[in-house]
Amino acid sequence: GAVVSQHPSWVICKSGTSVKIECRSLDFQATTMFWYRQFPKQSLMLMATSNEGSKATYEQGVEKDKFLINHASLTLSTLTVTSAHPEDSSFYICSASTSGRAPDTQYFGPGTRLTVL
Amino acid sequence: AQKITQTQPGMFVQEKEAVTLDCTYDTSDQSYGLFWYKQPSSGEMIFLIYQGSYDEQNATEGRYSLNFQKARKSANLVISASQLGDSAMYFCAMRASGGYNKLIFGAGTRLAVHP
């Protein structure tokens, strides 16, 4: 149980285009989903927290207009990188947790590697 | 402010031996949770073990155990009988205060298991 999928697993795009990444909880309902960014050989940095049906909460320094997050259902959250630039190239990982399930562990997706040319 | 510190950027261990990965934390919360995740080269984050601040016993999950010393604010991960497949990055994390179960991650420790 507790499987989270991400799609696509990798994407290459041209500078200026937008890229959408999907995060799905496959066998549980995720009341909260998280989006992280990880640069090579670095730790995970939380970008935003999203709850189903409400606006995402962004961490300080994360541009909400550039990284659009939608959490339309209890099993799906999407991250759209708008007008992507080479500096947005990174590994993006989502995670999902469900309330009432001790210890409210976050289960992570396999990640999406974004390369912007 | 809450913080997780992993002071070992890299560790080496011989196959079948035990290894301890260090983690210290800083928080003013009375109730908190500590996690360890494994990240192989493929990138996925694999949940290993959890320790609640009020848990009286150290958590164990198979070959993984967490040496929780609350007074010293440390939560070291012990891997027994290391296997080649244990080679990966290991991250210690703490549930942040403020709701939503946000996690704060340490910088990670890269473990290499040698045959």
Side-chain angles (χ1 to χ4, degrees), chain B residues 38-96:
Chain B
K38 172 185 178 182
Q39 187 179 42
S41 56
S42 54
E44 78 268 29
M45 295 287 284
I46 302 168
F47 165 69
L48 296 179
I49 197 167
Y50 167 82
Q51 180 84 43
S53 57
Y54 292 120
D55 293 342
E56 295 185 352
Q57 292 190 332
N58 288 343
T60 61
E61 289 286 349
R63 294 186 298 110
Y64 305 107
S65 61
L66 200 152
N67 184 0
F68 181 47
Q69 298 188 39
K70 195 169 182 177
R72 298 178 62 180
K73 293 190 174 180
S74 73
N76 299 339
L77 176 71
V78 180
I79 305 175
S80 62
S82 297
Q83 301 172 357
L84 296 178
D86 293 334
S87 295
M89 279 291 288
Y90 289 81
F91 291 98
C92 180
M94 177 169 61
R95 184 190 303 130

Short mmCIF file of all heavy atoms in Angstrom, two decimals, chain B residues 38-96:
data_model
loop_
_atom_site.label_atom_id
_atom_site.label_comp_id
_atom_site.label_asym_id
_atom_site.label_seq_id
_atom_site.Cartn_x
_atom_site.Cartn_y
_atom_site.Cartn_z
N LYS B 38 15.42 6.64 2.50
CA LYS B 38 16.53 6.18 1.66
C LYS B 38 16.27 6.64 0.24
O LYS B 38 15.14 6.52 -0.26
CB LYS B 38 16.61 4.65 1.71
CG LYS B 38 17.58 4.00 0.74
CD LYS B 38 17.46 2.47 0.81
CE LYS B 38 18.37 1.79 -0.18
NZ LYS B 38 18.22 0.32 -0.13
N GLN B 39 17.29 7.18 -0.42
CA GLN B 39 17.14 7.59 -1.81
C GLN B 39 18.22 6.91 -2.66
O GLN B 39 19.37 7.35 -2.69
CB GLN B 39 17.23 9.12 -1.96
CG GLN B 39 16.91 9.59 -3.38
CD GLN B 39 16.97 11.10 -3.53
OE1 GLN B 39 17.87 11.75 -3.00
NE2 GLN B 39 16.02 11.66 -4.26
N PRO B 40 17.85 5.85 -3.37
CA PRO B 40 18.82 5.21 -4.28
C PRO B 40 19.12 6.13 -5.46
O PRO B 40 18.50 7.20 -5.60
CB PRO B 40 18.08 3.95 -4.75
CG PRO B 40 16.86 3.83 -3.90
CD PRO B 40 16.55 5.20 -3.38
N SER B 41 20.02 5.70 -6.30
CA SER B 41 20.41 6.53 -7.44
C SER B 41 19.25 6.79 -8.39
O SER B 41 19.26 7.75 -9.16
CB SER B 41 21.57 5.89 -8.19
OG SER B 41 21.22 4.58 -8.59
N SER B 42 18.24 5.95 -8.37
CA SER B 42 17.07 6.14 -9.22
C SER B 42 16.24 7.35 -8.80
O SER B 42 15.44 7.87 -9.58
CB SER B 42 16.19 4.89 -9.20
OG SER B 42 15.87 4.55 -7.86
N GLY B 43 16.40 7.81 -7.57
CA GLY B 43 15.76 9.05 -7.15
C GLY B 43 14.57 8.92 -6.23
O GLY B 43 14.22 9.89 -5.55
N GLU B 44 13.91 7.78 -6.19
CA GLU B 44 12.72 7.72 -5.36
C GLU B 44 13.09 7.74 -3.89
O GLU B 44 14.16 7.27 -3.50
CB GLU B 44 11.87 6.49 -5.67
CG GLU B 44 12.37 5.19 -5.09
CD GLU B 44 13.26 4.43 -6.03
OE1 GLU B 44 13.93 5.08 -6.84
OE2 GLU B 44 13.28 3.20 -5.94
N MET B 45 12.23 8.32 -3.07
CA MET B 45 12.44 8.40 -1.62
C MET B 45 11.68 7.25 -0.97
O MET B 45 10.47 7.14 -1.09
CB MET B 45 11.92 9.73 -1.09
CG MET B 45 12.68 10.93 -1.60
SD MET B 45 14.30 11.09 -0.86
CE MET B 45 13.85 11.71 0.76
N ILE B 46 12.41 6.42 -0.27
CA ILE B 46 11.81 5.25 0.35
C ILE B 46 11.76 5.44 1.87
O ILE B 46 12.80 5.64 2.50
CB ILE B 46 12.62 3.98 0.01
CG1 ILE B 46 12.70 3.80 -1.51
CG2 ILE B 46 12.01 2.74 0.67
CD1 ILE B 46 13.70 2.76 -1.95
N PHE B 47 10.57 5.38 2.43
CA PHE B 47 10.40 5.53 3.87
C PHE B 47 10.98 4.31 4.57
O PHE B 47 10.70 3.17 4.21
CB PHE B 47 8.92 5.68 4.21
CG PHE B 47 8.58 5.50 5.66
CD1 PHE B 47 8.99 6.44 6.59
CD2 PHE B 47 7.88 4.39 6.10
CE1 PHE B 47 8.69 6.28 7.93
CE2 PHE B 47 7.57 4.22 7.43
CZ PHE B 47 7.98 5.17 8.36
N LEU B 48 11.81 4.56 5.58
CA LEU B 48 12.44 3.46 6.31
C LEU B 48 11.86 3.26 7.70
O LEU B 48 11.49 2.14 8.08
CB LEU B 48 13.95 3.71 6.44
CG LEU B 48 14.77 3.75 5.15
CD1 LEU B 48 16.22 4.05 5.48
CD2 LEU B 48 14.63 2.46 4.37
N ILE B 49 11.80 4.35 8.48
CA ILE B 49 11.49 4.17 9.88
C ILE B 49 11.03 5.50 10.48
O ILE B 49 11.41 6.57 10.01
CB ILE B 49 12.73 3.62 10.63
CG1 ILE B 49 12.35 3.02 11.99
CG2 ILE B 49 13.82 4.67 10.75
CD1 ILE B 49 13.48 2.18 12.59
N TYR B 50 10.20 5.40 11.51
CA TYR B 50 9.64 6.58 12.17
C TYR B 50 9.78 6.45 13.69
O TYR B 50 9.64 5.35 14.25
CB TYR B 50 8.15 6.71 11.81
CG TYR B 50 7.40 7.69 12.68
CD1 TYR B 50 7.45 9.06 12.39
CD2 TYR B 50 6.65 7.27 13.77
CE1 TYR B 50 6.76 9.97 13.18
CE2 TYR B 50 5.96 8.18 14.56
CZ TYR B 50 6.02 9.52 14.26
OH TYR B 50 5.35 10.42 15.05
N GLN B 51 10.04 7.59 14.32
CA GLN B 51 10.11 7.65 15.78
C GLN B 51 9.32 8.84 16.27
O GLN B 51 9.60 9.97 15.86
CB GLN B 51 11.56 7.77 16.25
CG GLN B 51 11.74 7.84 17.76
CD GLN B 51 11.76 6.47 18.41
OE1 GLN B 51 12.39 5.53 17.90
NE2 GLN B 51 11.11 6.32 19.54
N GLY B 52 8.34 8.61 17.10
CA GLY B 52 7.60 9.70 17.71
C GLY B 52 8.29 10.17 18.97
O GLY B 52 8.93 9.38 19.68
N SER B 53 8.14 11.44 19.28
CA SER B 53 8.85 12.00 20.43
C SER B 53 8.39 11.39 21.75
O SER B 53 9.13 11.41 22.74
CB SER B 53 8.69 13.52 20.47
OG SER B 53 7.32 13.87 20.52
N TYR B 54 7.19 10.86 21.78
CA TYR B 54 6.69 10.27 23.01
C TYR B 54 6.85 8.75 23.06
O TYR B 54 6.45 8.11 24.04
CB TYR B 54 5.21 10.64 23.21
CG TYR B 54 5.00 12.10 23.51
CD1 TYR B 54 4.23 12.90 22.67
CD2 TYR B 54 5.59 12.70 24.62
CE1 TYR B 54 4.04 14.25 22.95
CE2 TYR B 54 5.41 14.04 24.90
CZ TYR B 54 4.63 14.81 24.06
OH TYR B 54 4.45 16.15 24.33
N ASP B 55 7.39 8.21 21.99
CA ASP B 55 7.60 6.75 21.97
C ASP B 55 8.68 6.40 22.98
O ASP B 55 9.78 6.95 22.94
CB ASP B 55 8.01 6.28 20.58
CG ASP B 55 6.91 6.45 19.56
OD1 ASP B 55 5.74 6.61 19.98
OD2 ASP B 55 7.21 6.44 18.36
N GLU B 56 8.38 5.46 23.85
CA GLU B 56 9.34 5.10 24.90
C GLU B 56 10.42 4.15 24.40
O GLU B 56 11.51 4.11 24.94
CB GLU B 56 8.59 4.48 26.09
CG GLU B 56 7.67 5.47 26.78
CD GLU B 56 7.03 4.89 28.03
OE1 GLU B 56 7.20 3.68 28.27
OE2 GLU B 56 6.37 5.64 28.76
N GLN B 57 10.08 3.39 23.37
CA GLN B 57 11.06 2.44 22.86
C GLN B 57 11.59 2.91 21.52
O GLN B 57 10.90 3.58 20.75
CB GLN B 57 10.40 1.07 22.69
CG GLN B 57 10.04 0.41 24.01
CD GLN B 57 9.62 -1.04 23.83
OE1 GLN B 57 9.12 -1.41 22.77
NE2 GLN B 57 9.84 -1.86 24.83
N ASN B 58 12.82 2.54 21.24
CA ASN B 58 13.41 2.84 19.94
C ASN B 58 12.68 2.08 18.85
O ASN B 58 12.36 0.89 19.01
CB ASN B 58 14.89 2.47 19.93
CG ASN B 58 15.73 3.42 20.75
OD1 ASN B 58 15.29 4.52 21.07
ND2 ASN B 58 16.93 3.00 21.11
N ALA B 59 12.43 2.76 17.74
CA ALA B 59 11.74 2.12 16.63
C ALA B 59 12.66 1.12 15.94
O ALA B 59 13.88 1.33 15.84
CB ALA B 59 11.28 3.17 15.63
N THR B 60 12.07 0.04 15.46
CA THR B 60 12.81 -0.95 14.67
C THR B 60 11.94 -1.39 13.51
O THR B 60 10.72 -1.50 13.63
CB THR B 60 13.21 -2.19 15.50
OG1 THR B 60 12.00 -2.80 15.98
CG2 THR B 60 14.10 -1.83 16.67
N GLU B 61 12.59 -1.60 12.36
CA GLU B 61 11.92 -2.12 11.17
C GLU B 61 12.90 -3.01 10.45
O GLU B 61 13.77 -2.55 9.72
CB GLU B 61 11.49 -0.97 10.23
CG GLU B 61 10.37 -0.10 10.69
CD GLU B 61 9.01 -0.78 10.60
OE1 GLU B 61 8.92 -1.86 9.97
OE2 GLU B 61 8.05 -0.23 11.16
N GLY B 62 12.80 -4.29 10.71
CA GLY B 62 13.71 -5.23 10.06
C GLY B 62 15.16 -4.94 10.44
O GLY B 62 15.51 -4.93 11.61
N ARG B 63 15.99 -4.67 9.44
CA ARG B 63 17.41 -4.39 9.70
C ARG B 63 17.66 -2.95 10.14
O ARG B 63 18.81 -2.59 10.43
CB ARG B 63 18.23 -4.70 8.45
CG ARG B 63 18.25 -6.17 8.06
CD ARG B 63 19.20 -6.44 6.90
NE ARG B 63 18.84 -5.73 5.68
CZ ARG B 63 19.53 -4.72 5.17
NH1 ARG B 63 20.64 -4.29 5.77
NH2 ARG B 63 19.15 -4.15 4.05
N TYR B 64 16.62 -2.15 10.14
CA TYR B 64 16.77 -0.74 10.52
C TYR B 64 16.31 -0.54 11.96
O TYR B 64 15.26 -1.04 12.36
CB TYR B 64 15.95 0.17 9.61
CG TYR B 64 16.24 0.01 8.14
CD1 TYR B 64 15.34 -0.62 7.29
CD2 TYR B 64 17.44 0.49 7.60
CE1 TYR B 64 15.61 -0.77 5.94
CE2 TYR B 64 17.71 0.34 6.26
CZ TYR B 64 16.79 -0.29 5.43
OH TYR B 64 17.07 -0.43 4.10
N SER B 65 17.08 0.21 12.71
CA SER B 65 16.64 0.61 14.04
C SER B 65 17.05 2.07 14.24
O SER B 65 18.00 2.56 13.62
CB SER B 65 17.24 -0.28 15.12
OG SER B 65 18.65 -0.21 15.11
N LEU B 66 16.31 2.73 15.07
CA LEU B 66 16.56 4.14 15.32
C LEU B 66 17.01 4.28 16.77
O LEU B 66 16.27 3.91 17.68
CB LEU B 66 15.28 4.96 15.03
CG LEU B 66 15.46 6.44 14.78
CD1 LEU B 66 14.35 6.98 13.87
CD2 LEU B 66 15.47 7.21 16.09
N ASN B 67 18.19 4.80 16.96
CA ASN B 67 18.73 5.03 18.29
C ASN B 67 18.33 6.44 18.72
O ASN B 67 18.98 7.42 18.38
CB ASN B 67 20.25 4.87 18.27
CG ASN B 67 20.86 5.01 19.65
OD1 ASN B 67 20.15 5.21 20.64
ND2 ASN B 67 22.16 4.90 19.75
N PHE B 68 17.22 6.50 19.45
CA PHE B 68 16.62 7.78 19.81
C PHE B 68 17.09 8.18 21.20
O PHE B 68 16.82 7.49 22.19
CB PHE B 68 15.09 7.65 19.79
CG PHE B 68 14.34 8.91 20.13
CD1 PHE B 68 14.68 10.12 19.55
CD2 PHE B 68 13.25 8.87 20.99
CE1 PHE B 68 13.96 11.27 19.85
CE2 PHE B 68 12.52 10.02 21.29
CZ PHE B 68 12.88 11.23 20.71
N GLN B 69 17.81 9.30 21.27
CA GLN B 69 18.26 9.84 22.54
C GLN B 69 17.70 11.24 22.67
O GLN B 69 18.29 12.22 22.18
CB GLN B 69 19.78 9.82 22.63
CG GLN B 69 20.34 8.41 22.55
CD GLN B 69 21.84 8.37 22.83
OE1 GLN B 69 22.34 9.08 23.70
NE2 GLN B 69 22.55 7.54 22.09
N LYS B 70 16.57 11.32 23.35
CA LYS B 70 15.80 12.55 23.38
C LYS B 70 16.55 13.69 24.04
O LYS B 70 16.52 14.84 23.58
CB LYS B 70 14.48 12.30 24.11
CG LYS B 70 13.42 13.36 23.92
CD LYS B 70 12.09 12.87 24.46
CE LYS B 70 10.98 13.89 24.25
NZ LYS B 70 9.67 13.39 24.72
N ALA B 71 17.23 13.41 25.14
CA ALA B 71 17.94 14.46 25.87
C ALA B 71 19.06 15.05 25.03
O ALA B 71 19.38 16.24 25.12
CB ALA B 71 18.49 13.91 27.18
N ARG B 72 19.66 14.23 24.20
CA ARG B 72 20.74 14.69 23.33
C ARG B 72 20.22 15.16 21.98
O ARG B 72 21.00 15.60 21.14
CB ARG B 72 21.75 13.56 23.13
CG ARG B 72 22.42 13.09 24.40
CD ARG B 72 23.37 11.94 24.15
NE ARG B 72 24.46 12.31 23.26
CZ ARG B 72 25.42 11.49 22.87
NH1 ARG B 72 25.41 10.23 23.27
NH2 ARG B 72 26.37 11.90 22.07
N LYS B 73 18.92 15.02 21.77
CA LYS B 73 18.29 15.40 20.50
C LYS B 73 18.99 14.72 19.33
O LYS B 73 19.38 15.37 18.35
CB LYS B 73 18.26 16.92 20.33
CG LYS B 73 17.34 17.61 21.34
CD LYS B 73 17.13 19.07 21.02
CE LYS B 73 16.10 19.67 21.97
NZ LYS B 73 15.85 21.11 21.71
N SER B 74 19.13 13.43 19.46
CA SER B 74 19.72 12.68 18.35
C SER B 74 18.81 11.51 17.98
O SER B 74 18.11 10.95 18.83
CB SER B 74 21.12 12.18 18.71
OG SER B 74 21.05 11.12 19.63
N ALA B 75 18.85 11.16 16.71
CA ALA B 75 18.01 10.08 16.18
C ALA B 75 18.80 9.35 15.12
O ALA B 75 18.53 9.45 13.92
CB ALA B 75 16.73 10.66 15.60
N ASN B 76 19.79 8.61 15.56
CA ASN B 76 20.68 7.94 14.62
C ASN B 76 20.06 6.68 14.05
O ASN B 76 19.38 5.93 14.74
CB ASN B 76 21.99 7.57 15.33
CG ASN B 76 22.73 8.79 15.84
OD1 ASN B 76 22.52 9.91 15.37
ND2 ASN B 76 23.61 8.58 16.81
N LEU B 77 20.32 6.44 12.79
CA LEU B 77 19.83 5.24 12.11
C LEU B 77 20.92 4.17 12.15
O LEU B 77 22.07 4.44 11.80
CB LEU B 77 19.48 5.55 10.65
CG LEU B 77 19.04 4.36 9.80
CD1 LEU B 77 17.66 3.88 10.24
CD2 LEU B 77 19.03 4.73 8.32
N VAL B 78 20.55 3.00 12.58
CA VAL B 78 21.46 1.87 12.60
C VAL B 78 20.99 0.84 11.57
O VAL B 78 19.83 0.41 11.61
CB VAL B 78 21.55 1.22 14.00
CG1 VAL B 78 22.53 0.05 13.97
CG2 VAL B 78 21.97 2.24 15.04
N ILE B 79 21.87 0.51 10.66
CA ILE B 79 21.56 -0.54 9.68
C ILE B 79 22.42 -1.75 10.03
O ILE B 79 23.66 -1.66 10.07
CB ILE B 79 21.87 -0.08 8.23
CG1 ILE B 79 21.14 1.22 7.91
CG2 ILE B 79 21.47 -1.18 7.24
CD1 ILE B 79 21.50 1.80 6.54
N SER B 80 21.78 -2.85 10.31
CA SER B 80 22.54 -4.05 10.67
C SER B 80 22.73 -4.91 9.42
O SER B 80 21.97 -4.82 8.46
CB SER B 80 21.79 -4.84 11.73
OG SER B 80 20.52 -5.27 11.23
N ALA B 81 23.78 -5.71 9.43
CA ALA B 81 24.04 -6.66 8.34
C ALA B 81 23.90 -5.98 6.99
O ALA B 81 23.06 -6.35 6.15
CB ALA B 81 23.09 -7.85 8.44
N SER B 82 24.74 -4.98 6.74
CA SER B 82 24.65 -4.19 5.51
C SER B 82 24.70 -5.06 4.27
O SER B 82 25.42 -6.06 4.20
CB SER B 82 25.80 -3.18 5.46
OG SER B 82 25.71 -2.27 6.52
N GLN B 83 23.92 -4.62 3.28
CA GLN B 83 23.89 -5.31 2.00
C GLN B 83 24.30 -4.33 0.90
O GLN B 83 24.19 -3.11 1.07
CB GLN B 83 22.47 -5.82 1.72
CG GLN B 83 21.94 -6.78 2.77
CD GLN B 83 20.48 -7.12 2.58
OE1 GLN B 83 19.81 -6.59 1.68
NE2 GLN B 83 19.96 -8.01 3.42
N LEU B 84 24.75 -4.87 -0.22
CA LEU B 84 25.18 -4.00 -1.33
C LEU B 84 24.06 -3.06 -1.75
O LEU B 84 24.28 -1.92 -2.14
CB LEU B 84 25.66 -4.84 -2.50
CG LEU B 84 26.91 -5.70 -2.25
CD1 LEU B 84 27.25 -6.52 -3.48
CD2 LEU B 84 28.09 -4.84 -1.83
N GLY B 85 22.83 -3.54 -1.68
CA GLY B 85 21.68 -2.73 -2.06
C GLY B 85 21.37 -1.60 -1.10
O GLY B 85 20.51 -0.77 -1.38
N ASP B 86 22.08 -1.55 0.00
CA ASP B 86 21.88 -0.44 0.95
C ASP B 86 22.64 0.81 0.51
O ASP B 86 22.46 1.89 1.09
CB ASP B 86 22.36 -0.84 2.35
CG ASP B 86 21.50 -1.93 2.98
OD1 ASP B 86 20.32 -2.05 2.61
OD2 ASP B 86 22.03 -2.68 3.83
N SER B 87 23.49 0.70 -0.49
CA SER B 87 24.22 1.86 -0.98
C SER B 87 23.23 2.87 -1.54
O SER B 87 22.48 2.57 -2.48
CB SER B 87 25.21 1.45 -2.08
OG SER B 87 26.21 0.59 -1.55
N ALA B 88 23.22 4.06 -0.96
CA ALA B 88 22.24 5.08 -1.33
C ALA B 88 22.48 6.33 -0.50
O ALA B 88 23.37 6.35 0.36
CB ALA B 88 20.81 4.58 -1.07
N MET B 89 21.68 7.36 -0.76
CA MET B 89 21.64 8.54 0.11
C MET B 89 20.60 8.28 1.18
O MET B 89 19.54 7.71 0.91
CB MET B 89 21.24 9.78 -0.68
CG MET B 89 22.37 10.42 -1.45
SD MET B 89 23.61 11.18 -0.40
CE MET B 89 22.73 12.62 0.20
N TYR B 90 20.90 8.71 2.39
CA TYR B 90 19.97 8.56 3.50
C TYR B 90 19.69 9.94 4.09
O TYR B 90 20.60 10.68 4.41
CB TYR B 90 20.55 7.63 4.56
CG TYR B 90 20.58 6.19 4.11
CD1 TYR B 90 21.60 5.72 3.29
CD2 TYR B 90 19.57 5.31 4.48
CE1 TYR B 90 21.62 4.41 2.86
CE2 TYR B 90 19.58 3.99 4.05
CZ TYR B 90 20.61 3.54 3.24
OH TYR B 90 20.61 2.24 2.80
N PHE B 91 18.40 10.23 4.22
CA PHE B 91 17.98 11.52 4.74
C PHE B 91 17.22 11.33 6.05
O PHE B 91 16.30 10.52 6.14
CB PHE B 91 17.08 12.25 3.74
CG PHE B 91 17.78 12.71 2.50
CD1 PHE B 91 17.72 11.96 1.34
CD2 PHE B 91 18.50 13.90 2.50
CE1 PHE B 91 18.37 12.39 0.18
CE2 PHE B 91 19.14 14.34 1.35
CZ PHE B 91 19.08 13.58 0.19
N CYS B 92 17.61 12.14 7.02
CA CYS B 92 16.87 12.24 8.26
C CYS B 92 15.91 13.42 8.13
O CYS B 92 16.26 14.44 7.51
CB CYS B 92 17.85 12.46 9.41
SG CYS B 92 17.10 12.63 11.05
N ALA B 93 14.71 13.29 8.65
CA ALA B 93 13.73 14.37 8.53
C ALA B 93 12.91 14.49 9.79
O ALA B 93 12.75 13.52 10.54
CB ALA B 93 12.81 14.11 7.33
N MET B 94 12.38 15.67 10.00
CA MET B 94 11.54 15.92 11.17
C MET B 94 10.26 16.57 10.72
O MET B 94 10.27 17.43 9.83
CB MET B 94 12.28 16.84 12.15
CG MET B 94 11.46 17.22 13.38
SD MET B 94 12.46 18.03 14.63
CE MET B 94 13.02 19.46 13.73
N ARG B 95 9.17 16.15 11.33
CA ARG B 95 7.90 16.78 11.03
C ARG B 95 7.92 18.18 11.62
O ARG B 95 8.18 18.36 12.81
CB ARG B 95 6.74 15.99 11.62
CG ARG B 95 5.37 16.56 11.25
CD ARG B 95 4.27 15.90 12.03
NE ARG B 95 4.25 14.47 11.84
CZ ARG B 95 4.21 13.58 12.82
NH1 ARG B 95 4.18 13.98 14.07
NH2 ARG B 95 4.17 12.28 12.56
N ALA B 96 7.66 19.17 10.75
CA ALA B 96 7.71 20.56 11.20
C ALA B 96 6.44 20.93 11.92
O ALA B 96 5.38 20.35 11.69
CB ALA B 96 7.91 21.48 9.98
#
